[in-house]
Amino acid sequence: MALPQAKLDATEARIAQLEMPEGAAWSSAARQDALSRLRAMGLPGPRDEYWRFTRPDALNAPIAPSAALFDAKETPVFNDIDRLRIVFRDGEFDAAASDDLSLENLEVERLSDATSKDIHWAKDLYGVLETRGQTPVARPFAVMNTAFATDGVVLRATGKVSKPVSLTYLQENIESDAILHFLIRVEEGAELTVLESGPAAARFNKCMEVEIADRAAFHHVRAQGRDHERLAVTHLFARLGEESTFKSFTLTANGRLTRNE
């Protein structure tokens, strides 16, 4: 069935403002497939049943609505925890603000590096779990993320990781529009905790694909602050092995709009 013209126009207008990153043949194929799927399903409209309680207009807009910088005058969450800090500033990895990306039983790579390699385990995850997660409910913003994500990291836990990985998001541009994608593999018997915090951008689209092998454990905590003006749509897709453990929590404090998928 052809898309209604209004939905088609909105989707094409949003796509026109995005640029697909380059990569190895397999990652380019995954992105092109996602773009085709996005055009086929279209971005959500206010009459879509799944979106009847959340108007998607600002998420669909070709240009992100501006959001004033926010300072809660509070100590950032997780600051008292010994953790590996990975910082993204307005949707771009900030090496200077991040810790050394090395930790026992953990491999860390930037998404662009992993998706540029002809042979990488990321091939079995990138866009794969997102695609499988489109049934029974279509999640077009996750599809858009697979097609156009500009940054992120890939994590592979090979044993019990001694301290959490903290994904810290900072906003300095009132018009920033961030699309981040994360791939996580927790090998058999391994254990990993990932923490997320910070305002990220004026508009933030995040997708996380997680594979948890047999008898492995993955713990995830996302803290959402009092960032009233910011918009966010987030997705987490997981594939679980036998006797594996997957726990995810979101801590909120009066956020204006967060779409957790």
Side-chain angles (χ1 to χ4, degrees), residues 14 58-59 61-67 174-178 201-204 231:
R14 184 77 169 91
L59 295 170
I63 304 299
S66 62
I174 63 172
E175 298 177 340
S176 54
D177 194 6
R203 182 169 63 184
F204 184 37
L231 306 173

Side-chain angles (χ1 to χ4, degrees), residues 77-78 194-198 206 219-225 227 232 234-236 246-255 257-261:
V77 68
F78 304 136
V194 170
L195 311 174
E196 291 187 272
S197 63
K206 184 208 73 180
H219 309 282
H220 171 252
V221 181
R222 179 177 180 272
Q224 176 185 322
D227 41 359
T234 70
H235 320 80
L236 196 159
F246 170 41
K247 296 180 180 180
S248 180
F249 303 92
T250 300
L251 308 176
T252 64
N254 301 324
L257 170 62
T258 293
R259 186 81 183 193
N260 293 301
E261 301 258 335

Side-chain angles (χ1 to χ4, degrees), residues 74-83 85 166 168 195 197:
E74 299 172 351
T75 301
V77 68
F78 304 136
N79 259 24
D80 295 332
I81 298 175
D82 184 21
R83 67 206 195 281
R85 193 165 180 256
S166 178
T168 304
L195 311 174
S197 63

Side-chain angles (χ1 to χ4, degrees), residues 163-174:
K163 57 185 178 181
V165 173
S166 178
L167 304 175
T168 304
Y169 308 124
L170 304 176
Q171 182 202 4
E172 294 184 350
N173 182 345
I174 63 172

Side-chain angles (χ1 to χ4, degrees), residues 4 10 14 16 60 63 67 83 90-91 102 104 115 118 123 126 143 152 167 172 183 189 196 207 209 242 246 250 255:
R14 184 77 169 91
N60 287 345
I63 304 299
R83 67 206 195 281
D90 290 315
S102 62
E104 186 178 6
T115 55
D118 292 331
K123 179 181 179 180
Y126 191 80
V143 182
L167 304 175
E172 294 184 350
L183 302 175
E196 291 187 272
C207 184
E209 297 180 281
E242 294 183 0
F246 170 41
T250 300

Side-chain angles (χ1 to χ4, degrees), residues 69-128:
L69 303 183
F70 179 78
D71 183 2
K73 305 299 183 183
E74 299 172 351
T75 301
V77 68
F78 304 136
N79 259 24
D80 295 332
I81 298 175
D82 184 21
R83 67 206 195 281
L84 176 67
R85 193 165 180 256
I86 302 177
V87 178
F88 292 88
R89 195 179 303 272
D90 290 315
E92 184 174 351
F93 173 65
D94 187 336
S98 300
D99 294 334
D100 178 41
L101 301 183
S102 62
L103 192 61
E104 186 178 6
N105 296 325
L106 183 68
E107 299 171 4
V108 184
E109 289 180 81
R110 196 169 175 179
L111 180 71
S112 57
D113 293 333
T115 55
S116 294
K117 296 177 180 177
D118 292 331
I119 300 176
H120 197 285
W121 60 261
K123 179 181 179 180
D124 297 329
L125 275 189
Y126 191 80
V128 174

